[in-house]
């Protein structure tokens, strides 16, 4: 059983290796090495006219990096998880909390006195 079609499979008009003559010249490049606190080196290529960032993320550990091998940036300080109560305590003083609690208890007592069912 013979199939019809092109004798050269997987090709198309214009396919093939393109050289610099067809693409144009490549931009001048520079290789910049970044260092993280764990001692990882990350080499990245930038165009010569591109501005080099001060920091880069290490692809191995995710820490921030810099180009100074002797002074890499320290790991970021990780804030612990805060509970809802911790956020409330940041906004309210102990006296305000006591006043709010007493107001809520008065409302609850008033509802009970009226005979309302409280769940």
């Amino acid at each position: 059983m013979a199939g019809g079609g092109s004798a050269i499979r997987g090709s198309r008009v214009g396919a093939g290796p393109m050289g610099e003559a067809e693409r144009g010249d490549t931009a001048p490049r520079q290789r910049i090495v970044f260092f993280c606190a764990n001692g990882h080196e990350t080499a990245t290529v930038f165009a010569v006219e591109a501005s080099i960032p001060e920091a880069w993320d290490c692809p191995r550990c995710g820490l921030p990096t810099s180009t100074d091998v002797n002074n890499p940036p320290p790991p970021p300080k990780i804030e612990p998880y805060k509970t809802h109560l911790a956020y409330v305590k940041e906004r309210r003083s102990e006296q305000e909390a006591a006043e709010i609690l007493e107001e809520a208890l008065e409302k609850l007592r008033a509802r009970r006195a009226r005979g309302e069912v409280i769940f």
Side-chain angles (χ1 to χ4, degrees):
M1 178 174 249
S6 174
I8 302 174
R9 296 185 184 273
S11 66
R12 64 182 191 281
V13 175
M18 291 187 352
E20 286 188 8
E22 292 182 29
R23 281 193 307 246
D25 294 332
T26 58
R29 299 175 189 178
Q30 60 182 331
R31 184 175 181 263
I32 306 296
V33 181
F34 293 93
F35 304 92
C36 75
N38 286 340
H40 302 135
E41 291 184 17
T42 303
T44 308
V45 178
F46 293 93
V48 170
E49 64 269 2
S51 61
I52 307 302
E54 292 181 15
W56 196 264
D57 289 337
C58 177
R60 290 184 62 192
C61 64
L63 291 178
T65 64
S66 72
T67 56
D68 186 0
V69 66
N70 297 321
N71 192 20
K77 184 179 176 185
I78 298 173
E79 294 289 329
Y81 174 77
K82 285 187 179 180
T83 63
H84 176 68
L85 181 59
Y87 285 109
V88 170
K89 286 183 176 182
E90 286 179 359
R91 295 190 313 265
R92 306 268 189 224
S93 68
E94 290 291 326
Q95 181 181 357
E96 288 175 318
E99 290 171 2
I100 292 170
L101 177 62
E102 187 57 39
E103 181 182 325
L105 289 173
E106 286 176 12
K107 288 180 182 179
L108 183 62
R109 289 179 186 126
R111 288 178 61 191
R112 281 188 177 168
R114 289 192 305 259
E116 293 182 30
V117 178
I118 301 171
F119 294 97

